[in-house]
Amino acid sequence: MDVHRAGLDMAQWRQLIDDSCRGELTEPIVNVDRSLGSHFDAIFLGGGSAGRFGAAVLRSLGGRALVLERWPFLGGSCPHQACVPHHLFSEAARELDQAQALAGRLWYGKFDPQAASVLELVELFRSQRTGPHAHMNWQSCEQLGIEFIVNAEAAAVDAHTVTAAGQAFTARALVLCTGSRAARPGIAGEDLPGVFDYASFIEDLDYEPARIVVIGGSKVAVEYASFYRATGTPTAVVSRGELLTTGGPGRMDDDLRRFIIGGMRDRDVELLEHSTVTRITGRDRVEAVEVLTPGGPRRLEADFVLLATGEQPNVESFAGSLPVHRDADGFVTVDSRMRTSVPDVYAAGDLLGPPLEMFKSRRSGTTAARNIMGVDAEFAYADIPDFLHTTYEVTWAGLSESEARRRFGQVVTIQVPPPDLAPGQTPLPMAEGSMLYGFTRPERTGFQKCVIDARTRRVVGIHHAGYGAKDAFQYLHYLISRPAGLTIDELGDMNELYISADYFIGYARLRSGQAELTGM
Ligand code: COM
């Protein structure tokens, strides 16, 4: 179907995408300016964030880009199975958490777990997800002028040639951005009905889970377990190591981690750390998960299991034709300009492995585009701002306290609640988003910490659990990572919009005049 210059509106895009997702429209949807031929400056193999943003920037720089995507929409897994549903569920988790905590108080009625349905939220997402999809296609077409073919399998023939929709297209450079998918851990019984990963959970769930086991110890495990439990469904997490230590201990501040893991325990999420799943059992559907825990074997009854055990790269469309170097987990390796080991072949997005975050996908795509267009650009993503959701929004950037102490020795922290008060002894950090908890359940208002190198007075780490601070971290991370850094004195000189979700500015001001910094 040729849609070039058809000027499809949002409703028409929704219709096309819906028809394709239902399998009623199987032909490729082609938005290519045929008058310009079939040669491009770059072809992006994959139309997720990396491909879409890369193509837009390549076009801004005067180049011609083609994006090829097997799904009928651009934007990739984010709006289909990953970030967007996750955010919907996390917002629901936060609302439900409050409804449970305040049940019978203020305007909250008795909490009715029967009324909070996992299935209903999944169905809501499924029924409406083509809205964002349509926006991606409409914006790419009408505002960004990106040429693309969606709803079509594509394959790399060599470093300059790709086939899609029964045709060959050539380019000066190829950008591989085919993404990743949930890895299967190889546990006996993992193919039973009722065993899902984050994608099949969205696609296939057709019953209301009554007992849930989540397998894994990383963000996905913690986030989905928090959501399931917030609906009132009994939920257990089985993790081989300590939760949230993926990427090495010290990646997340210990006090922040304790606050959020403790918060999950308080909300009756059963956490089995240092435990291994030996098998998943059941007949027509999963019935139990057998686990070896430090205290001996356990059998966890479950009618729903979520595998949250990592990702594997999608390499099928190029692995046979392009011998790009890959790491031990199969992810494509690139240099700081996103160049693979094969000349003129770049890679971007989740195909590069963790962190599987939006900023990395988009920026790696645009870095590749700039280099292809002769603009020298590098992108290092080792130092990142990061976040996750439990029933809280948890955000951090820079160094944990322990890592800062290791590197700088003399470190000062500003922490709320302060180390000498237990959560519950103070309603602080009561703030935007946690006022109701401040006056009803003070132990639930959140946690925050600012880590300062005492010698240079520079802020080297910021950590937050609460609501509404994530936005600030995008900018704070930039400020603290600049070569000049950000001193506590400069932070204390900013203008806070009281009572903002984090206290960093006000608390920095309380200490900024000190010649010899002390913590609080
Ligand atoms: C966001 C998708 S859901 S993209 O990054 O805008 O392409």
Side-chain angles (χ1 to χ4, degrees):
M1 168 182 290
D2 189 348
V3 298
H4 187 60
R5 299 235 161 85
L8 299 184
D9 62 21
M10 282 285 290
Q12 290 168 313
W13 272 121
R14 275 194 86 142
Q15 189 66 52
L16 278 187
I17 296 165
D18 273 334
D19 291 349
S20 305
C21 288
R22 277 198 303 268
E24 289 164 17
L25 177 69
T26 52
E27 63 178 301
I29 303 170
V30 182
N31 177 43
V32 175
D33 187 347
R34 299 284 186 191
S35 70
L36 298 176
S38 55
H39 185 69
F40 296 81
D41 289 295
I43 294 177
F44 293 83
L45 192 56
S49 316
R52 213 171 79 82
F53 273 68
V57 165
L58 192 122
R59 218 180 117 73
S60 304
L61 294 172
R64 187 179 182 213
L66 177 65
V67 180
L68 301 172
E69 171 56 49
R70 72 190 158 97
W71 276 333
F73 52 86
L74 300 175
S77 59
C78 165
H80 201 53
Q81 297 165 334
C83 332
V84 177
H86 152 69
H87 279 77
L88 172 69
F89 302 147
S90 293
E91 189 168 308
R94 166 195 171 157
E95 297 271 324
L96 291 164
D97 186 49
Q98 196 147 307
Q100 291 192 49
L102 302 184
R105 300 180 74 170
L106 300 171
W107 51 88
Y108 290 94
K110 196 169 167 295
F111 183 75
D112 176 8
Q114 302 305 319
S117 159
V118 172
L119 179 61
E120 191 179 6
L121 269 161
V122 170
E123 285 175 337
L124 174 67
F125 173 71
R126 275 199 298 243
S127 70
Q128 297 303 319
R129 67 179 161 180
T130 48
H133 294 348
H135 191 99
M136 297 300 124
N137 286 11
W138 175 85
Q139 182 191 64
S140 303
C141 232
E142 303 301 323
Q143 296 186 308
L144 302 172
I146 296 174
E147 294 180 68
F148 59 80
I149 302 176
V150 294
N151 214 26
E153 294 289 345
V157 176
D158 57 40
H160 299 279
T161 317
V162 171
T163 55
Q167 197 192 331
F169 297 91
T170 58
R172 281 199 292 118
L174 186 57
V175 187
L176 307 174
C177 32
T178 45
S180 64
R181 59 180 179 271
R184 308 296 283 190
I187 298 169
E190 70 182 22
D191 294 326
L192 274 169
V195 180
F196 299 92
D197 56 45
Y198 67 89
S200 61
F201 160 61
I202 301 289
E203 300 304 329
D204 303 333
L205 186 71
D206 60 0
Y207 63 96
E208 187 64 35
R211 295 196 74 83
I212 294 179
V213 171
V214 175
I215 302 175
S218 64
K219 281 185 188 184
V220 177
V222 162
E223 290 175 329
Y224 278 78
S226 297
F227 161 58
Y228 298 144
R229 182 67 195 126
T231 65
T233 314
T235 302
V237 183
V238 183
S239 169
R240 274 195 301 209
E242 283 184 43
L243 286 165
L244 295 178
T245 50
T246 324
R251 198 180 73 91
M252 175 180 267
D253 183 81
D254 292 333
D255 290 323
L256 179 69
R257 188 180 162 278
R258 264 193 291 276
F259 179 83
I260 59 178
I261 300 294
M264 290 177 74
R265 284 212 167 89
D266 285 347
R267 288 158 175 85
D268 291 329
V269 185
E270 189 176 6
L271 304 178
L272 304 174
E273 295 176 305
H274 303 292
S275 298
T276 316
V277 174
T278 46
R279 63 182 186 137
I280 303 170
T281 61
R283 274 177 305 196
D284 301 333
R285 181 187 288 164
V286 56
E287 288 166 15
V289 177
E290 294 180 7
V291 184
L292 201 52
T293 76
R298 288 268 312 267
R299 182 177 188 275
L300 306 173
E301 288 191 10
D303 64 351
F304 177 108
V305 172
L306 185 82
L307 300 172
T309 46
E311 290 280 298
Q312 67 179 76
N314 297 326
V315 299
E316 292 74 7
S317 57
F318 62 83
S321 52
L322 295 172
V324 290
H325 182 264
R326 299 200 273 137
D327 67 18
D329 295 320
F331 293 104
V332 173
T333 55
V334 289
D335 65 12
S336 59
R337 294 177 174 81
M338 306 302 123
R339 294 180 297 205
T340 70
S341 58
V342 174
D344 297 329
V345 177
Y346 295 70
D350 291 349
L351 188 59
L352 308 182
L356 307 175
E357 294 296 347
M358 180 59 84
F359 74 89
K360 195 195 80 186
S361 289
R362 291 174 168 178
R363 289 194 65 199
S364 57
T366 58
T367 302
R370 290 201 172 100
N371 282 289
I372 291 165
M373 293 307 291
V375 180
D376 189 34
E378 293 184 76
F379 176 41
Y381 46 84
D383 171 29
I384 58 165
D386 214 343
F387 78 98
L388 59 85
H389 292 96
T390 53
T391 47
Y392 292 95
E393 175 198 282
V394 182
T395 324
W396 66 100
L399 305 178
S400 65
E401 181 183 341
S402 59
E403 181 59 19
R405 286 195 188 285
R406 202 182 63 76
R407 286 201 208 173
F408 304 116
Q410 232 190 314
V411 159
V412 160
T413 60
I414 296 177
Q415 190 172 311
V416 196
D420 22 16
L421 292 182
Q425 283 184 291
T426 169
L428 271 59
M430 173 172 68
E432 186 102 12
S434 62
M435 295 304 291
L436 281 172
Y437 277 154
F439 286 89
T440 56
R441 303 284 301 265
E443 74 286 3
R444 292 204 168 185
T445 51
F447 173 86
Q448 43 192 274
K449 183 193 274 190
C450 186
V451 184
I452 302 140
D453 172 9
R455 197 179 52 81
T456 61
R457 306 176 73 86
R458 284 170 59 158
V459 176
V460 294
I462 39 176
H463 310 274
H464 188 269
Y467 308 99
K470 195 169 95 183
D471 253 12
F473 273 70
Q474 304 173 112
Y475 309 110
L476 280 168
H477 173 255
Y478 174 81
L479 290 173
I480 69 174
S481 335
R482 291 175 310 161
L486 177 73
T487 65
I488 182 171
D489 311 287
E490 291 168 321
L491 180 59
D493 254 353
M494 294 180 182
N495 298 319
E496 71 270 51
L497 298 173
Y498 199 71
I499 305 174
S500 52
D502 69 79
Y503 289 7
F504 296 140
I505 296 174
Y507 270 53
R509 187 177 301 129
L510 289 173
R511 284 300 198 222
S512 59
Q514 283 186 323
E516 286 283 320
L517 278 180
T518 53
M520 56 196 290

